[in-house]
Amino acid sequence: MKLAKESLPGSADHLAGLAAECVVKAYLIDFLGFRFNPKGPPMDPTGARTKLGHVNELWPELTQIVSGRVGPDLMSLIYENPFDGWSVHDRYADGNGIQAAELAQHIDAARRLCALYELASKGHI
């Protein structure tokens, strides 16, 4: 990611987390029956309350939502939360607290989620 290479790790990390969050919510809407909600997070098809906040808060909820409902590709990807410790509020920080390995993990997870969504969209999974 260009921002990471240009010594802007805070911006790169922030965008990786938001990209992952958006693609996860798109996956819920497009493949798991959630409904788009213009005033907040997607709505569960059963009417159950879900948190579905930012990606670090969404991830634990996601594992419960998709368990037993999707294929092994998504389950293997979401088994561990790569965004544990990520915070949307870090966008206000100078980026010095973000470790290179952590940033790489977030970028990789966002890319993998996007690739998986694209495969699902084409009917390959």
Side-chain angles (χ1 to χ4, degrees):
M1 183 177 260
K2 188 174 181 179
L3 291 173
K5 292 177 184 173
E6 292 180 3
S7 299
L8 296 168
S11 296
D13 194 54
H14 179 69
L15 293 175
L18 291 181
E21 177 184 325
C22 289
V23 77
V24 165
K25 289 178 179 177
Y27 199 100
L28 293 174
I29 292 168
D30 292 345
F31 302 110
L32 296 177
F34 279 65
R35 293 186 318 266
F36 175 73
N37 176 9
K39 296 182 180 184
M43 298 177 70
D44 187 295
T46 66
R49 280 234 181 266
T50 55
K51 295 176 189 158
L52 300 182
H54 291 295
V55 70
N56 57 313
E57 300 160 343
L58 167 63
W59 211 269
E61 188 98 359
L62 177 64
T63 57
Q64 293 175 355
I65 292 168
V66 303
S67 182
R69 296 173 66 181
V70 297
D73 293 327
L74 181 60
M75 288 306 296
S76 67
L77 181 59
I78 66 169
Y79 182 72
E80 289 187 33
N81 182 354
F83 293 95
D84 188 35
W86 180 92
S87 174
V88 73
H89 303 293
D90 286 344
R91 70 185 179 274
Y92 299 117
D94 61 9
N96 290 331
I98 298 170
Q99 302 299 316
E102 183 181 38
L103 175 58
Q105 176 182 330
H106 294 164
I107 292 171
D108 180 61
R111 284 183 174 153
R112 291 176 55 205
L113 282 166
C114 289
L116 189 60
Y117 178 84
E118 188 173 336
L119 286 174
S121 295
K122 293 178 180 177
H124 296 294
I125 58 169

